[in-house]
Amino acid sequence: MSTRYPFTAVVGMDDLRLALLLNAVSPSVGGVLVRGEKGTAKSTAVRALAELLPEVAVVAGCRFSCDPASPDPGCPDGPHGDGGADARPARMVELPVGASEDRLVGSLDIEKALADGVKAFEPGLLAAAHRGILYVDEVNLLSDHLIDHLLDAAAMGASHVEREGVSVRHAARFLLVGTMNPEEGELRPQLLDRFGLTVEVAASRVPEERVEVVRRRLAFEDDPAGFAERWAGEEAALRERIVAARELLPKVALGDAVLLQIAATCAAFEVDGMRADIVMARTATALAAWAGREEVTSEDVRQAALLALPHRRRRNPFDAPGMDEDKLDETLERFKGEEPEDDPDPDQGPDGPGDGGPGGGGVPPQGGEGPAPETDGVPEEAPAQAPEHTPASRGAGGERAAVKAAEPFRTKMLSVPGLGDGAAGRRSRARTEHGRTTGATRPRGALTKLHLSATVRAAAPHQRARGRSGAGLVVRRDDLRQAVREGREGNLVLFVVDASGSMAARKRMGAVKGAVLSLLLDAYQRRDKVGLITFRGRAAELALPPTSSVDAAAARLEELPTGGRTPLSAGLLRAHDVLRVERLRDPSRRPLLVVVTDGRATGGGPDPVGLAARAARLHAADGTASVVVDCEAGPVRLGLAGDLARHLGGTAVTLDELRADAIAGLVREAQVNRSVRRAA
């Protein structure tokens, strides 16, 4: 077994270490999500935690780690008698991003189940993680169907495996720890809320600390065993402190005044649901036990809020996680030392009389009561048009400062025609592991989704030749049939945005940015990868290479300046190069090209319009699905965006139509156009 880097040797990252230790003291806190840039030792710190956890008592020979004191009555290895107990170290099980469903939840031997009626079950990672840690590196890249199983197990404390009427259930209670780089995409809100605490980590900017990090890492790599031995004393002391805090935890008192502070804080920051209140209460209790106290203080509540609330305040992926600490301190001070009334006056309103403070039993502030909510996301009244630019606001070459995006709106779905084989998502039709069954085929590898009726039909003609004598069906490997299913895939949505002076001069850039922001939000919800190309002046720029991080795309969009000529052909050619590379990297992910422009072309060569048309026809020849968002405004329209859409082999839609139900027919129109072209 390889030597792990000692937890106590980690330099800095106080919040991360505290969050992990609080979960070691009280697993009911609910785990930790670690967000941070690459190369910040996130995984190192998490893996080191396992060495500090106390040993676990398990039923001897049980593959599902049943507790001898209260074994699971439904355990597949049960029922457990007096088979004795073993003690083993707490496990940390790592879930790879590319793991299969069977690897996570376990697998059944379908052939034995059909032929012999035997539940031959091979436990998966959820069973191995029971009463331990389940660690997911790059958790934001985890497939949707694996996330669904994690959500079910986290909610019910058990895993269910259902295969064609054969059912197995086992306990699966674990500490969920995930690490992620936000630049690679965000988590689904349902999974995000399942993490009790969240921590943001970044590399230290203090030279002395960076020197110490390098020194310790090099020493560990030169002699892992010797390095671990030098830190053995600190590790043992920390392990003993965790045990002592666990023993003290049941004695910690959580008073009504502290509970009121917790409830008031969650209400003031407008978090959804009640899970935040419960997690804060458990975290504050663990903080008191970790400090060796039997009473929770206001400072414990404050620290718990900083760990438990930031990720629960996000309303969309463009909102930056974080907390207004001044607002937090004001809320805690306002409710400090107050006790809720046991029997509030039913005739007294929630505001109560007197000094304007909470009455009627200390109800936390609602609506306009208390500090105003933050507006970290989209501006409350974002202008639909760019403001007038003065000469002072222009840069070199006529460049204008970036304008704010208009408020995002809900768009209707754009999809790629045909049937794909890409990564699971929510945009275009595709052959997937999950979805409605459309047929059956012979399995090419391990059987994952049995098509029962097709298997029975394949085995039925051979029963006499196989000597069948009883009621059971004689099934062989060649009879098994894999279900073919159709679901939805995620696509690569590549935005090509006109940032030229013509857009800014007509005061449309704010509305254009709002439309792109809306499409980015739609891409986030549909599990797409996104890329952003802008063109202005003399060239096009790849502002954001294809990524799963739509909030990174939104940040690039917000900073986008405008000005100069309109090299439309350069933008389309750059998009063609990007898509060519992406087809080599990920051939199964189909692209959707979204060109946001008024169709004008005033740069890029002696015949800018002709060059743009030829560049567009390159995309049509590749069969790239495309939509042109027509930004032309005014009483006189030239229809240039519609001409561009025809050259692309796609369809055009105005900014107004992007909001309207009329966009529902865009995909059908694109399919008709493509069929007409093929017939011609």
Side-chain angles (χ1 to χ4, degrees), residues 88-254:
R88 60 161 177 79
R91 291 175 181 161
M92 178 155 69
V93 178
E94 296 195 32
L95 171 59
V97 169
S100 66
E101 179 182 348
D102 285 348
R103 184 74 184 98
L104 177 63
V105 302
S107 58
L108 289 170
D109 190 327
I110 300 297
E111 188 172 354
K112 285 187 178 180
L114 287 176
D116 305 325
V118 176
K119 293 181 182 179
F121 182 70
E122 183 65 29
L125 296 178
L126 290 179
H130 179 48
R131 304 178 65 202
I133 301 173
L134 181 63
Y135 171 49
V136 190
D137 193 14
E138 305 294 351
V139 63
N140 51 324
L141 304 182
L142 204 61
S143 299
D144 272 5
H145 67 282
L146 297 183
I147 289 178
D148 292 338
H149 288 296
L150 280 182
L151 290 172
D152 289 343
M156 299 184 295
S159 175
H160 294 263
V161 183
E162 302 281 349
R163 293 290 168 82
E164 303 297 342
V166 181
S167 176
V168 174
R169 174 207 169 275
H170 64 81
R173 292 182 295 275
F174 46 81
L175 182 63
L176 183 61
V177 180
T179 55
M180 60 174 283
N181 181 353
E183 294 180 356
E184 297 173 340
E186 288 293 342
L187 274 178
R188 281 172 55 180
Q190 297 94 329
L191 183 58
L192 186 64
D193 192 49
R194 284 294 172 184
F195 287 97
L197 311 179
T198 186
V199 177
E200 295 277 342
V201 297
S204 173
R205 299 298 184 259
V206 180
E208 292 78 10
E209 286 190 4
R210 297 176 74 97
V211 167
E212 187 61 23
V213 170
V214 175
R215 182 182 292 118
R216 293 185 186 183
R217 188 69 204 186
L218 293 178
F220 173 75
E221 292 176 355
D222 289 341
D223 182 12
F227 184 84
E229 182 63 29
R230 289 196 294 275
W231 291 89
E234 287 84 349
E235 293 281 291
L238 191 58
R239 193 176 295 111
E240 291 174 2
R241 186 176 176 185
I242 291 173
V243 173
R246 281 191 172 190
E247 294 175 350
L248 180 61
L249 188 65
K251 304 176 184 177
V252 175
L254 189 68

Side-chain angles (χ1 to χ4, degrees), residues 256-261 333-340 357-359 362:
D256 288 343
V258 171
L259 282 173
L260 179 60
Q261 283 188 314
E333 183 63 29
R334 181 179 180 186
F335 289 89
K336 186 176 182 179
E338 295 189 16
E339 294 282 353

Side-chain angles (χ1 to χ4, degrees), residues 389-403:
H389 292 281
T390 63
S393 69
R394 299 171 183 258
E399 179 178 297
R400 295 174 172 86
V403 299

Side-chain angles (χ1 to χ4, degrees), residues 419 429-440 449 451 483-488:
L419 191 64
R429 293 174 55 231
R431 288 175 287 267
T432 61
E433 288 291 322
H434 302 268
R436 63 186 183 91
T437 301
T438 59
K449 296 292 182 181
H451 195 294
V484 176
R485 300 193 174 188
E486 181 180 313
R488 293 280 173 177

Side-chain angles (χ1 to χ4, degrees), residues 612-637:
R614 287 195 289 273
R617 286 194 288 269
L618 290 176
H619 290 281
D622 290 340
T624 302
S626 59
V627 174
V628 178
V629 180
D630 184 1
C631 303
E632 192 173 29
V636 179
R637 296 175 181 259

Side-chain angles (χ1 to χ4, degrees), residues 27-90:
S28 62
V29 167
V32 186
L33 174 64
V34 188
R35 298 165 47 94
E37 58 197 22
K38 53 186 177 295
T40 49
K42 302 185 296 292
S43 300
T44 298
V46 172
R47 292 188 177 104
L49 176 67
E51 301 295 325
L52 300 176
L53 298 181
E55 288 189 334
V56 177
V58 299
V59 173
C62 178
R63 297 175 297 166
F64 300 88
S65 302
C66 280
D67 187 349
S70 57
D72 180 8
C75 176
D77 284 356
H80 297 298
D82 298 327
D86 292 332
R88 60 161 177 79

